[in-house]
Amino acid sequence: MCIRDSPVHIIGMHLCGNLSMIAIELFYRMELAHKLVLCPCCLPRQNAPGTPVVVYTDTCQLSQYHRWVHHLGSYLSETWVETRTTFDENLLSERSAIISSTKLEQRPHPQVPHSVAAVLGLIGEPCWALTMKLSHAVSYTHLRAHETPEHLVCRLLLEKKKKNKQRTEWRKTAKRKIRNMG
């Protein structure tokens, strides 16, 4: 078996907005994608294409999140996909859903369910069109708002390492310039 023919697992952690839908789209379209694990976090914008109205029927953010998770699970409810949704109490967030799906052996050729394409207005369009339509920038502040204590320590260590590397590079450049001047 060639590496190009190896099974693919799609894992999406901290999927903000419609990134979960993009991951589901990839899972359905990629023939080699056999497993999908999603940990959705932030809800899609209320006016974003494909956002179900039912998600925003009340103002309780946790209820909205649970409806969003249920909505994502319903898109993965094809007869040839086995899907399970759990809530992990060990995560340090109320938004602790983990959706895992596995493609079963006997399935039709991979295709996005018509319902997904219809809701997003992308019937017959290529996969990249979905990415272009749904992707939007997420600010660094937004990412930091969901940071756990473990991630904070990791991020601070990486920033320190980056800062030290930049200082070292700056010193080398300064020394080179001094040598070239003399």
Side-chain angles (χ1 to χ4, degrees):
M1 177 187 282
C2 179
I3 290 178
R4 287 178 287 169
D5 299 328
S6 299
V8 173
H9 297 225
I10 299 172
I11 301 171
M13 297 297 298
H14 190 84
L15 293 171
C16 295
N18 275 324
L19 289 177
S20 295
M21 292 301 294
I22 293 170
I24 291 171
E25 167 83 1
L26 289 173
F27 179 65
Y28 278 124
R29 288 209 182 219
M30 291 178 64
E31 190 169 348
L32 291 174
H34 290 277
K35 294 195 182 293
L36 170 70
V37 178
L38 301 177
C39 293
C41 100
C42 304
L43 302 170
R45 288 176 286 173
Q46 192 168 359
N47 59 354
T51 301
V53 177
V54 70
V55 170
Y56 290 98
T57 54
D58 66 23
T59 57
C60 175
Q61 290 184 354
L62 190 57
S63 295
Q64 292 172 349
Y65 174 75
H66 284 275
R67 284 192 293 278
W68 175 239
V69 168
H70 176 74
H71 173 73
L72 294 172
S74 70
Y75 272 139
L76 289 162
S77 62
E78 295 293 318
T79 56
W80 48 276
V81 176
E82 182 181 304
T83 299
R84 187 172 59 123
T85 301
T86 57
F87 289 86
D88 189 341
E89 60 193 39
N90 295 317
L91 292 177
L92 299 175
S93 171
E94 293 177 325
R95 298 176 181 204
S96 60
I98 300 173
I99 303 168
S100 55
S101 296
T102 305
K103 287 181 183 172
L104 304 175
E105 290 304 313
Q106 297 158 338
R107 62 183 182 271
H109 59 86
Q111 198 172 43
V112 178
H114 191 267
S115 56
V116 174
V119 166
L120 298 174
L122 295 171
I123 295 174
E125 291 191 37
C127 186
W128 59 264
L130 176 74
T131 307
M132 296 303 290
K133 186 168 185 173
L134 297 180
S135 61
H136 62 281
V138 176
S139 73
Y140 181 69
T141 305
H142 173 81
L143 293 175
R144 298 243 342 250
H146 296 283
E147 195 167 56
T148 64
E150 292 81 11
H151 292 123
L152 175 64
V153 170
C154 183
R155 182 178 58 79
L156 292 174
L157 289 172
L158 287 172
E159 285 180 4
K160 182 178 179 182
K161 183 178 178 182
K162 182 180 175 183
K163 187 185 284 185
N164 287 342
K165 185 177 179 183
Q166 288 173 340
R167 268 193 213 140
T168 303
E169 288 175 12
W170 181 82
R171 284 183 189 137
K172 286 180 183 177
T173 304
K175 285 180 182 178
R176 242 182 283 132
K177 285 181 180 179
I178 291 171
R179 269 189 247 131
N180 290 340
M181 289 172 57

